[in-house]
Amino acid sequence: MTAMRNRPIPGSSGIVRTMSLLGDPVLHAACEPVTEFGPPLARLVEDMFATMYEARGVGLAANQIGVPSRVFVYDCPDDEDVRHLGHVVNPVLVAADGVTVRGSEGCLSLPGLEAGTPRFDHAVVEGVTVTGEPVRIDGTGFFARCLQHECDHLDGQVYTDRLTGLRRARVLRAARRAPWSRTA
């Protein structure tokens, strides 16, 4: 799979941006806090939604499109199939607790690959909106997994960093063999 090109989505004001893939240095460095709010930040969030929808994802962090800023978007169901839609600027994972569940997890920066990844069943993220209003997001189940996954991205981690042993070896081997691999 090749990286997407920047292009507009019909019926949307967002632009689909090029996806950063495993091996891109932007994915492995902590993102900087957002300090300027205004139209450029709002456009970034619109572009992130357009890119996430085009890639058929449920969450996307800014560094996944090459922008090293602490922002993520999501459109993700929880385990009861309740839809959660929004964005967070300068998110902080303030709670990750409950039982640990090993569930299948994938990433738009590792297209086509998945691995059983341990995550807490409950997560709380606090941050602000594009207009600077405080926001607190409480998630359970699959949505909690999404919140933790996106916060990890902004801290310079991908889900494979949470894997060990054979699971880690298998997914990294598959990544090296993938047509989109940067390590070939």
Side-chain angles (χ1 to χ4, degrees):
M1 185 176 285
T2 59
M4 295 176 288
R5 294 188 176 95
N6 295 343
R7 62 185 175 81
I9 291 286
S12 165
S13 57
I15 301 291
V16 173
R17 303 267 194 111
T18 302
M19 191 70 66
S20 298
L21 300 172
L22 184 68
D24 189 323
V26 74
L27 293 175
H28 305 286
C31 294
E32 295 295 320
V34 172
T35 57
E36 293 186 29
F37 293 77
L41 179 60
R43 277 192 300 279
L44 171 63
V45 168
E46 289 174 5
D47 291 354
M48 290 173 66
F49 273 113
T51 303
M52 178 183 73
Y53 289 139
E54 177 72 9
R56 299 179 183 210
V58 296
L60 183 74
N63 59 341
Q64 290 183 271
I65 58 169
V67 179
S69 297
R70 293 193 69 81
V71 181
F72 74 77
V73 299
Y74 58 89
D75 188 347
C76 182
D78 59 24
D79 288 353
E80 284 73 46
D81 215 23
V82 174
R83 180 183 185 197
H84 300 271
L85 172 67
H87 69 276
V88 188
V89 177
N90 296 331
V92 175
L93 183 64
V94 296
D97 54 28
V99 298
T100 301
V101 178
R102 183 180 307 277
S104 183
E105 192 164 324
C107 180
L108 298 177
S109 293
L110 288 87
L113 303 181
E114 293 183 355
T117 307
R119 296 282 186 184
F120 287 106
D121 196 43
H122 175 249
V124 178
V125 172
E126 292 180 347
V128 296
T129 66
V130 293
T131 59
E133 297 296 316
V135 64
R136 179 181 172 96
I137 302 148
D138 195 315
T140 59
F142 186 68
F143 183 47
R145 177 176 297 279
C146 175
L147 294 173
Q148 292 166 80
H149 180 106
E150 301 311 329
C151 284
D152 274 358
H153 270 304
L154 300 179
D155 290 334
Q157 293 188 313
V158 293
Y159 79 93
T160 56
D161 296 327
R162 293 199 171 268
L163 302 175
T164 58
L166 192 55
R167 276 189 180 85
R168 181 176 170 83
R170 281 181 180 160
V171 75
L172 292 178
R173 182 174 40 251
R176 282 191 304 275
R177 293 177 177 168
W180 49 260
S181 178
R182 294 181 179 267
T183 59

